[in-house]
Each structure stands twice: as structure tokens, then as C-alpha cells.
Amino acid sequence: GENVEQHPSTLSVQEGDSAVIKCTYSDSASNYFPWYKQELGKRPQLIIDIRSNVGEKKDQRIAVTLNKTAKHFSLHITETQPEDSAVYFCAVSSNDYKLSFGAGTTVTVRA
Amino acid sequence: EPEVTQTPSHQVTQMGQEVILRCVPISNHLYFYWYRQILGQKVEFLVSFYNNEISEKSEIFDDQFSVERPDGSNFTLKIRSTKLEDSAMYFCASNLEDRMAGEGYGYTFGSGTRLTVV
């Protein structure tokens, strides 16, 4: 099955700084790469996603980059705010549409 | 915005008992899923369901588990003879995929059912 590695497991940043989380995957057939934000006790919320025919996508302070050759993709959060504190999960899917998740990154934004 | 609804939000059950977790996917979605998240761990795929049958299942989804879409709106996960290690948050999800066009639309997750086996 798909193996998704996510780093770092924890990330502490000063408010206003940027945060970067990276995921690598093993299946070259993977073609859909979403990122989810999960607050304590709540459901995963989709924050951004990218498909394999696109190298980069941006939505306000959040961006995702994809390198299909190297099989890795990254989440970039700029101008971090305290409300960005949460656990972030990357996920990968291919034509079977099931999601394989990374282990998660706990992001703490220090005020 | 349409939501996936799950009931109950929290279920406590005795070890060995059967539980049924319920989900109402978004009405025009075609693909339904159950995922599990043990406390502090990642979300894990259990099963996908399309056209009234299982399309894929993980190694976790053994004979102890079953899914059903008993009517046009509900999607249920049954866990027989529950074990302590079944304690987890169970998320239902649905999405609308157009396989012919090769296009997919992001999942919508329900708010989850926290299952505690004692």
C-alpha cells in the first residue's frame, strides 16, 4: 500500500513567521494530494489540495507545492497566526480514491 | 454548506458488544467511506463503498466489521464483538467523483463518533 511520510512531527513558530511541512509518498500512480487541518476533538478540515497536473497552488496565506519526480509535496503557511495552531495531515490518493494519511504535524504558533 | 452528519457523537460500549455507527452522507455524493483515528495517531482508511457494495477495504476491516446502506440516505458501520483496541474516533466521509472525466472533488468528513470500549 501507499506509504506517506510526514515531517516534522512538531513545529513551533513565532507568530508572523512561516511554517513548512513536507510529505513524501511511495506510489508513483498517486494523483491527488490534500492537506487537512484538525483541531482537538474535531474532524479533519480540507484546507488546500493539489492534483498531479499542477506544480503549485496558493490560497491566501496557504500554498502547496508538488514535485512528482521526487514524490514529495509541501504545505507552506505564511504570516502565521495563533489560530493556525492545530495538527496538520497530508494525504495521498490515486484512482482508487481512498486517502492514505501522513502521521501529522502539530503546529504551535507562539504569540 | 452541505454536511456529513454522524450519530452518536460518543458511544460507550462493553467489550464484546456490537455497535452501529451511523452516517448520513451528502445527498448527491456517490462514494462513501469510513476512517478510524486512534487517539493521537493518524487517520486510517477502513472501507470505501460505491454503488451499494464495498469497493475497497483495508487490512483493519476484517470480519468483525460490516457496512450497509439500508436506505437512500444512511450509511452504517457495524462492529461486532468489540475489543478494547477498537476504541477510536470513527469518521464517515463522502465525495462526488466523476471517474469518466478523471475529476475528483474533495472529501467531506463528518464530525466523528468517539467509540469507547470498556
Side-chain angles (χ1 to χ4, degrees):
Chain A
E2 177 71 85
N3 184 34
V4 182
E5 299 278 342
Q6 182 172 346
H7 298 282
S9 57
T10 60
L11 181 60
S12 179
V13 296
Q14 190 69 37
E15 182 178 359
D17 287 351
S18 295
V20 180
I21 305 169
K22 182 176 176 179
C23 285
T24 60
Y25 60 97
S26 57
D27 187 354
S28 57
S30 298
N31 55 16
Y32 177 63
F33 309 90
W35 284 92
Y36 288 87
K37 177 182 180 182
Q38 187 178 35
E39 296 174 350
L40 193 61
K42 297 194 174 179
R43 77 186 82 187
Q45 295 266 21
L46 178 70
I47 54 172
I48 197 167
D49 58 10
I50 194 168
R51 299 191 183 272
S52 56
N53 57 346
V54 176
E56 184 173 355
K57 183 176 177 181
K58 190 173 182 180
D59 182 4
Q60 299 182 357
R61 297 186 297 108
I62 294 173
V64 56
T65 57
L66 171 66
N67 183 329
K68 282 218 75 178
T69 304
K71 290 191 225 164
H72 66 71
F73 59 111
S74 299
L75 176 72
H76 304 254
I77 308 173
T78 58
E79 300 171 33
T80 52
Q81 301 167 4
E83 52 265 38
D84 294 329
S85 295
V87 180
Y88 291 80
F89 290 96
C90 64
V92 175
S93 179
S94 59
N95 290 331
D96 57 9
Y97 300 118
K98 76 176 187 211
L99 293 175
S100 297
F101 283 81
T105 297
T106 301
V107 174
T108 304
V109 180
R110 306 186 307 273
Chain B
E1 187 173 333
E3 286 192 347
V4 174
T5 56
Q6 287 186 246
T7 55
S9 57
H10 193 184
Q11 173 95 45
V12 181
T13 189
Q14 293 267 343
M15 191 167 53
Q17 296 296 305
E18 174 181 288
V19 295
I20 297 177
L21 310 183
R22 302 180 191 279
C23 169
V24 179
I26 293 173
S27 60
N28 66 333
H29 282 190
L30 303 177
Y31 294 82
F32 315 119
Y33 310 84
W34 284 101
Y35 286 81
R36 177 181 83 175
Q37 187 177 31
I38 295 170
L39 188 64
Q41 298 185 23
K42 68 179 178 181
V43 179
E44 300 174 289
F45 169 78
L46 291 179
V47 65
S48 58
F49 193 86
Y50 170 72
N51 201 24
N52 285 320
E53 61 182 23
I54 291 173
S55 50
E56 188 168 358
K57 58 184 180 179
S58 71
E59 294 174 350
I60 303 169
F61 195 90
D62 58 19
D63 291 343
Q64 185 193 4
F65 295 87
S66 62
V67 290
E68 193 177 35
R69 188 158 163 81
D71 53 44
S73 60
N74 291 284
F75 179 51
T76 62
L77 174 68
K78 182 188 291 185
I79 308 174
R80 288 178 284 273
S81 189
T82 49
K83 301 177 287 211
L84 295 177
E85 53 264 39
D86 294 327
S87 296
M89 181 75 92
Y90 289 81
F91 291 105
C92 174
S94 68
N95 69 338
L96 176 65
E97 297 283 353
D98 184 343
R99 295 189 181 212
M100 294 298 290
E103 288 293 327
Y105 302 88
Y107 276 50
T108 301
F109 280 89
S111 54
T113 293
R114 179 162 298 285
L115 176 65
T116 303
V117 182
V118 297

